[in-house]
Amino acid sequence: MGTTDISILAIESSCDETSASIIVNGKVLNNIVATQSVHEKYGGVVPELASRAHQENLIPVVHEALSGAGISKNDLSAIAVTRGPGLMGSLLVGVSFAKALAKTLNLPLIDVNHMQAHVLAHFIEEPRPNFPFICLTVSGGHTQLVWVRDHLDMEVIGETQDDAVGEAFDKTAKLLGLPYPGGPLLDRYAKQGNPKAFAFPITRMPGLNYSFSGIKTAVLYFLRDRLEENPNFITENLPDLCASIQHTLVEMLLIKLKEAMKQVGVTEVAIAGGVSANSGLRSALADLAQRKGWKLYVPEFEYCTDNAAMIAMAAHYKYLRKDFVGYDLVPLAKLKL
Ligand code: KG4
Ligand code: ZN
């Protein structure tokens, strides 16, 4: 490792994935992720259990990232960590560790905004989007339309006012009796179903904002009425129910995306976050992009879900600007982009 190399260790612990990544001169060398299965039986992330699991996983994950990349901690140029948004207890584990390590090694500390990092996941590998573009960030915790003008210059122009779209997938899947997290399973059943079999209401919010809490209630009442008539209604119609719910959620996402593209006047669009794995969203967006003449960017799934490689990518750009923070850094659960 030469003395002019920029080598950064990045840490992500905002929700339920403990992750570490090494980036050297802007190239991500690895992305170690410890997924916490402890939450499955509770049907959602339990914050207290997440913090404890981060506490257990963090040092092994960091060791694996360093040794896998063949880098000693003495070769590092900086330590980067997710400051927020996320669960306070989870963030505290990563931030406290990163601060202590940076201070011990006398290295600069870089704080990263998790939502900015989701967008910058598109710069880990080719093809990289051209500025300006719109990024639709969709996960279990977030639903945002981001106008991206440069690596570190972005603005949220629309976002959910209540549930995230991933939550809507998971909560409706739960109503259908699917285990947590139900989003990927709902997607799988949807492939065999008719998306027009059942109609659920589309919630229209002012401007470019979203609301996904209504569909959960709509599905709940719809199922309650149908189950009264036929107790086997769900099992007999599972693929059609999944396809129809997915169709409604994707439609809601795309209506505002189209408006955002028009309003900002751009032709490049990217998707980020765990829900960008959804096959219905991918195919509907690919069709739309083709019809509109947009260029569409979808990162590898590894970089869509929560990961430290995206934190490392963001940290690299901040390092180039010498954008460092003090060792008194505190996490912020509601950090804005
Ligand atoms: O980005 P992510 O891994 O974690 C955060 O929430 O930050 O996203 C997880 C979310 C969950 O709600 C999960 O159900 C959803 O992404 N998800 C999917 C699919 N794969 C993951 N939702 C629908 N279809 C999928 N194929
Ligand atoms: Zn995330």
Side-chain angles (χ1 to χ4, degrees):
M1 186 78 20
T3 48
T4 54
D5 287 323
I6 306 168
S7 315
I8 305 169
L9 163 68
I11 292 162
E12 154 67 30
S13 74
S14 65
C15 190
D16 61 341
E17 317 277 8
T18 319
S19 183
S21 170
I22 302 289
I23 186 166
V24 176
N25 299 328
K27 188 175 179 344
V28 168
L29 299 191
N30 58 19
N31 179 39
I32 311 300
V33 184
T35 302
Q36 304 177 359
S37 54
V38 62
H39 308 287
E40 275 162 24
K41 57 179 176 290
Y42 299 99
V45 176
V46 185
E48 176 70 21
L49 297 179
S51 314
R52 290 187 205 182
H54 284 304
Q55 194 79 2
E56 261 173 49
N57 296 340
L58 189 52
I59 289 179
V61 161
V62 166
H63 267 295
E64 198 178 329
L66 282 166
S67 62
I71 287 193
S72 142
K73 54 187 186 311
N74 299 316
D75 296 330
L76 292 170
S77 322
I79 308 290
V81 68
T82 305
R83 184 182 189 198
L87 301 170
M88 182 45 92
S90 291
L91 292 165
L92 267 170
V93 178
V95 168
S96 306
F97 177 84
K99 287 199 292 192
L101 187 61
K103 188 162 190 332
T104 310
L105 297 171
N106 198 22
L107 289 175
L109 182 65
I110 300 172
D111 66 318
V112 173
N113 181 309
H114 180 88
M115 300 314 296
Q116 193 169 58
H118 265 303
V119 175
L120 293 173
H122 288 92
F123 293 84
I124 297 172
E125 286 178 348
E126 299 279 353
R128 297 181 173 93
N130 299 294
F131 301 114
F133 65 92
I134 295 289
C135 184
L136 174 64
T137 310
V138 278
S139 75
H142 347 277
T143 307
Q144 288 189 336
L145 282 162
V146 186
W147 176 12
V148 190
R149 296 182 285 254
D150 202 351
H151 297 112
L152 299 174
D153 178 15
M154 38 185 104
E155 185 185 336
V156 177
I157 54 172
E159 66 187 324
T160 184
Q161 304 298 298
D162 42 56
D163 289 354
V165 66
E167 255 179 295
F169 269 107
D170 295 340
K171 287 179 178 172
T172 50
K174 193 173 175 183
L175 295 174
L176 299 175
L178 301 177
Y180 176 84
L185 271 174
L186 189 144
D187 184 5
R188 203 178 313 155
Y189 284 111
K191 286 182 187 142
Q192 294 133 35
N194 172 9
K196 300 271 170 68
F198 307 106
F200 297 108
I202 300 251
T203 312
R204 286 177 194 273
M205 294 292 283
L208 297 173
N209 288 328
Y210 289 107
S211 165
F212 288 103
S213 61
I215 186 155
K216 184 184 58 195
T217 323
V219 171
L220 177 73
Y221 290 145
F222 173 83
L223 291 176
R224 191 191 56 188
D225 295 348
R226 295 301 178 102
L227 285 167
E228 261 175 30
E229 295 159 13
N230 172 11
N232 299 322
F233 179 73
I234 294 179
T235 37
E236 286 170 11
N237 295 280
L238 191 57
D240 283 351
L241 282 165
C242 290
S244 302
I245 292 169
Q246 180 165 299
H247 174 75
T248 310
L249 291 172
V250 170
E251 194 62 24
M252 280 162 70
L253 287 173
L254 296 189
I255 288 172
K256 297 293 178 173
L257 175 65
K258 273 189 272 189
E259 281 177 32
M261 295 293 286
K262 196 166 160 202
Q263 204 166 302
V264 178
V266 293
T267 54
E268 301 223 353
V269 57
I271 47 171
V275 179
S276 55
N278 183 265
S279 62
L281 176 61
R282 283 186 180 217
S283 65
L285 191 50
D287 284 353
L288 183 64
Q290 200 181 14
R291 270 188 281 128
K292 298 270 185 190
W294 299 341
K295 194 145 194 265
L296 171 66
Y297 298 86
V298 185
E300 288 292 326
F301 185 62
E302 178 185 4
Y303 302 133
C304 284
T305 56
D306 287 350
N307 68 86
M310 67 185 194
I311 306 301
M313 203 63 241
H316 176 76
Y317 293 117
K318 292 190 95 173
Y319 187 94
L320 295 178
R321 290 192 182 183
K322 300 277 178 278
D323 190 348
F324 305 138
V325 281
Y327 298 141
D328 56 352
L329 176 73
V330 288
L332 280 179
K334 295 199 183 304
L335 184 63
K336 293 265 178 228
L337 192 89

